[in-house]
């Protein structure tokens, strides 16, 4: 928490939203080095996907604190220093842990920036529609485009939408995802000819 406050220039205990963002970055920044030291690397399945989600969520909440450049490695470093005496694997794998965190953070920076800009437009449009008909949601097809075209994770779309009082049509998202998979299978079968 102290490291996140130092990096962001924010004080803990001043307001609820800032405190929540600080806690999310601190907790995720603490857990990430342990996962990597345990042999987990960011991926698209299983434990690797959990790690990737933690990194991405920490980045998102870091942005809410005004942290624009890479910062997660410094939070991970603080965790390694704090717990490395008790958990030797953190010290032994320090360089690998920091390299993995830096690579994943750098990779997601651009995705987050582009996806956030697109999502903001979708949210504004959905809020206008919501005030006209009383309910607010983001179409599954829009969430799918964010995911498929920009690599923006659907769970992040849901979280951000919820903060604006909107729901995401996840059934529609799943239909779009399955249709995309079907098209990929058909294209693959055709090429196998």
């Amino acid at each position: 928490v102290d490291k996140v406050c130092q990096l962001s220039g924010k004080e803990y205990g001043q307001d609820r939203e800032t405190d929540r963002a600080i806690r999310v970055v601190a907790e995720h920044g603490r857990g990430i080095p342990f996962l990597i030291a345990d042999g987990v690397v960011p991926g698209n399945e299983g434990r690797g996907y959990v790690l990737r989600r933690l990194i991405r969520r920490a980045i998102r909440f870091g942005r809410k604190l005004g942290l624009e450049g890479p910062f997660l490695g410094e939070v991970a470093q603080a965790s390694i220093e704090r717990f490395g005496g008790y958990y030797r694997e953190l010290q032994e794998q320090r360089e690998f842990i920091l390299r993995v965190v830096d690579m994943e953070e750098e990779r997601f920076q651009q995705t987050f920036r582009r996806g956030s800009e697109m999502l903001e437009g979708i949210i504004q449009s959905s809020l206008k529609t919501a005030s006209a008909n009383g309910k607010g949601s983001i179409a599954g097809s829009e969430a799918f485009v964010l995911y498929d075209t920009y690599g923006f994770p659907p769970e992040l779309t849901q979280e951000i939408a919820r903060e604006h009082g909107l729901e995401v049509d996840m059934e529609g998202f799943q239909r779009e995802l399955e249709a995309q998979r079907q098209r990929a299978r058909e294209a693959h079968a055709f090429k196998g000819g």
Side-chain angles (χ1 to χ4, degrees):
V1 169
D2 290 341
K3 186 62 168 182
V4 175
C5 288
Q6 175 196 349
L7 291 169
S8 67
K10 306 282 184 188
E11 256 186 77
Y12 190 77
Q14 297 300 310
D15 75 84
R16 193 175 145 175
E17 283 301 308
T18 299
D19 290 355
R20 179 172 183 248
I22 290 170
R23 283 193 312 270
V24 168
V25 174
E27 291 297 324
H28 289 9
R30 181 173 63 192
I32 289 165
F34 281 95
L35 284 168
I36 297 170
D38 197 36
V40 179
V41 292
N44 292 327
E45 296 177 356
R47 297 182 334 156
Y49 189 64
V50 171
L51 175 59
R52 179 166 278 161
R53 284 183 65 181
L54 287 174
I55 291 170
R56 290 175 171 185
R57 192 161 187 261
I59 291 169
R60 176 176 179 274
F61 277 90
R63 292 291 172 271
K64 288 181 128 190
L65 295 170
L67 296 169
E68 291 300 321
F71 66 90
L72 203 48
E74 292 186 56
V75 179
Q77 176 65 33
S79 293
I80 292 169
E81 289 171 7
R82 172 87 181 203
F83 298 105
Y86 302 105
Y87 301 96
R88 291 248 182 258
E89 63 272 16
L90 293 175
Q91 290 291 350
E92 293 166 1
Q93 297 184 44
R94 171 188 304 234
E95 286 187 36
F96 178 69
I97 291 167
L98 296 177
R99 188 170 50 244
V100 168
V101 169
D102 289 344
M103 285 173 43
E104 188 69 15
E105 185 174 20
E106 182 180 317
R107 199 170 129 198
F108 188 61
Q109 296 288 353
Q110 294 172 339
T111 299
F112 184 78
R113 191 172 20 262
R114 284 191 313 255
S116 292
E117 290 169 3
M118 293 295 297
L119 181 56
E120 188 58 37
I122 292 169
I123 286 172
Q124 294 310 312
S125 175
S126 296
L127 288 172
K128 287 177 187 172
T129 305
S131 47
N133 67 19
K135 59 182 179 178
S137 66
I138 293 175
S141 59
E142 291 176 311
F144 180 75
V145 167
L146 283 170
Y147 170 72
D148 190 49
T149 306
Y150 300 99
F152 203 77
E155 60 275 357
L156 212 47
T157 300
Q158 282 184 293
E159 187 173 340
I160 295 169
R162 228 177 281 121
E163 290 174 1
H164 289 86
L166 299 169
E167 292 297 318
V168 177
D169 174 18
M170 290 309 291
E171 288 179 15
F173 173 85
Q174 289 300 327
R175 281 192 302 273
E176 293 286 336
L177 184 61
E178 188 52 42
Q180 173 71 0
R181 288 180 180 153
Q182 184 61 35
R183 287 189 296 272
R185 282 191 292 268
E186 288 169 3
H188 181 70
F190 182 74
K191 288 179 184 175

